Each structure stands twice: as structure tokens, then as C-alpha cells.
Amino acid sequence: LFIESPQLPVIDEVVVEHTTCGNANGVLEIFPGAGTPPFQYSIDGTNFQTDAVFTDVAAGNFFVVIEDANGCTGAFQTTVDGSNPITAMIETAHGIDLCGELPVLLDVDPNGVFQSYSWSNGETTALIIPTEGVTYSVDVTDADGCTASQSIELEPCGFWQMPNVFTPDGDGVNDSFGPVIQGNGTEILDFKIFNRWGNLVHDERMAWDGEVDGNPHPSDVLVYFLRIETKDGVEEVKGDVSLIR
């Protein structure tokens, strides 16, 4: 009597999808040849599964093993190649100071390697001209679908001026007196106002509403002293203002 022994399992092929974008996203698919099904599969020789496809595989060398219904095994060695993530760098041709003589230009793709752009301000081009002193961020995508992000903070441009007249009559227009500040980076450090007799009528770091001790100050020409800090340093300013009722 001749009993034919079962054929040992053999791995016919291992199809490899290498990683992309620097991620652990490789794929190994194992195709058994000879052997007695059902098979179990492993890519480390220890942990087995019934599915022949392994996803989210990191780069490296793998000892692929199949085990058939008789407990017999076959092995194969293969490699999943690594990849590099893409990076995004924001170039600033004229610096990051919005108060400079030239406009700020933010260019995330001077070499033209990306396919799409998504800026935090809604722009979708590689080059933008920002107008606010805030943080700008961008997401880019290349031809392989890899993504990267980058951000940059622009230095604000603070601008201020002092009016020379105000009319605190409650109509909602020019009802208070103080520095008119636009943008960021400007802070009032000291703000005093004196009437024609030298009496202090206002001593707060906010605009004056034209009242003294809850009573309306009459029409007059008053003198103010202002100490204000900007990105260029501390300034001290003296002047006069006409209160008109």
C-alpha cells in the first residue's frame, strides 16, 4: 500500500505595494501555491490570520509564512520600501513685516511641485499677498496625493492718530476722544487730559466721554498728554482738542 504524502505548502507570489508619503501604508498580499487549504498567513512568522492581505504595513524586511490545514508551513522573504513625507516651506520675498515698504508675499511652492493649495484665509494659489498681521497656514497636496502643512505668523502693522475735535452729544458719531488705533501691536500706556485751568479731567487708558464726575464738561479747548507704545517703541505726544457741544 502506497500512501501519498501531502505536498508541502508553497508561496507562489507576494504582491507588494510600497509605502507612500512617509506613512506606514504599505500592503502585502500573499498568493499560496501548493498545500492543503484553508491557509493561514503571517508576515512575522508568529502572528497568523486567515486574510491573505496585510494593510498599513511599515517599511522593512518581512518573513512571510503560510500554514496549511495540515499544519505544514512555507516561507518567503520580501521587502517593503520606505518613502519620505513631503514638506512645505513658506518663502517671504519681502519679509513678514506688514509695515514694510514692499507688500508681504507668501509663496509655498516656488518650484512648482504641488498640485493644490488651501490657505487659512480661503486662497487656493501658491502665492498670496496677505493684509493682516495674523498667523497664516496652508495645506498642500502633490501629484501622489501626499499632503503637508505649514504656517507663518506675520508682524502686525499698528497705525494710530489723534483727532483734534469731538462732539459728545450722544449721536453715536465722534462721541469720545482718544487715539484712533487701527491694526494690532499698539497699546496706550498713559492718557491724561487737562482743562484750560490745568485741572485734570481724565486719567485713564481709554477714550474720554467728555464728562467729569458724571457731569458734561462744557465746550472748551483742552490739552492732552499721551504715552503710547508701538512696535517701534514708546512715543510721548502732547496736543490740544476742541470739545464742542
Side-chain angles (χ1 to χ4, degrees):
L1 178 66
F2 177 76
I3 300 177
E4 184 178 355
S5 61
Q7 190 171 0
L8 293 176
V10 175
I11 296 176
D12 189 44
E13 183 181 12
V14 177
V15 175
V16 178
E17 292 184 21
H18 300 288
T19 68
T20 60
C21 309
N23 298 320
N25 58 356
V27 178
L28 291 175
E29 185 172 3
I30 306 167
F31 292 88
T36 304
F39 296 98
Q40 294 195 78
Y41 307 88
S42 173
I43 60 173
D44 61 8
T46 301
N47 300 293
F48 286 82
Q49 65 182 43
T50 57
D51 192 344
V53 179
F54 291 80
T55 59
D56 298 328
V57 178
N61 299 315
F62 294 90
F63 187 67
V64 179
V65 179
I66 62 170
E67 182 178 277
D68 70 1
N70 298 316
C72 300
T73 59
F76 187 92
Q77 283 191 313
T78 191
T79 299
V80 175
D81 292 340
S83 57
N84 295 320
I86 65 171
T87 57
M89 296 293 293
I90 300 175
E91 292 193 2
T92 55
H94 304 144
I96 60 173
D97 185 357
L98 289 176
C99 291
E101 296 181 359
L102 297 174
V104 171
L105 304 178
L106 301 183
D107 191 352
V108 72
D109 194 8
N111 299 316
V113 298
F114 301 127
Q115 300 295 306
S116 66
Y117 320 89
S118 178
W119 291 88
S120 54
N121 66 343
E123 298 282 350
T124 56
T125 56
L127 176 67
I128 66 171
I129 304 176
T131 57
E132 295 183 273
V134 297
T135 298
Y136 286 79
S137 60
V138 63
D139 298 321
V140 297
T141 306
D142 71 1
D144 296 321
C146 302
T147 60
S149 301
Q150 187 57 268
S151 63
I152 188 170
E153 183 176 0
L154 303 187
E155 294 182 5
C157 182
F159 171 78
W160 66 275
Q161 59 183 353
M162 290 294 289
N164 56 15
V165 62
F166 78 115
T167 56
D169 53 11
D171 65 353
V173 179
N174 204 24
D175 278 337
S176 61
F177 170 68
V180 179
I181 300 174
Q182 297 179 351
N184 302 313
T186 301
E187 180 183 4
I188 299 172
L189 302 178
D190 193 14
F191 183 37
K192 293 181 173 64
I193 303 174
F194 302 86
N195 63 18
R196 66 173 62 237
W197 296 281
N199 296 323
L200 182 66
V201 298
H202 180 77
D203 187 12
E204 296 184 61
R205 293 188 300 172
M206 62 179 66
W208 182 40
D209 61 4
E211 295 191 358
V212 180
D213 296 328
N215 299 310
H217 193 286
S219 297
D220 201 355
V221 176
L222 302 102
V223 176
Y224 67 84
F225 169 79
L226 173 69
R227 195 159 62 94
I228 192 167
E229 184 175 18
T230 69
K231 72 181 189 65
D232 296 320
V234 176
E235 299 181 51
E236 294 185 355
V237 182
K238 295 180 181 179
D240 56 66
V241 60
S242 297
L243 187 161
I244 301 176
R245 292 193 181 275

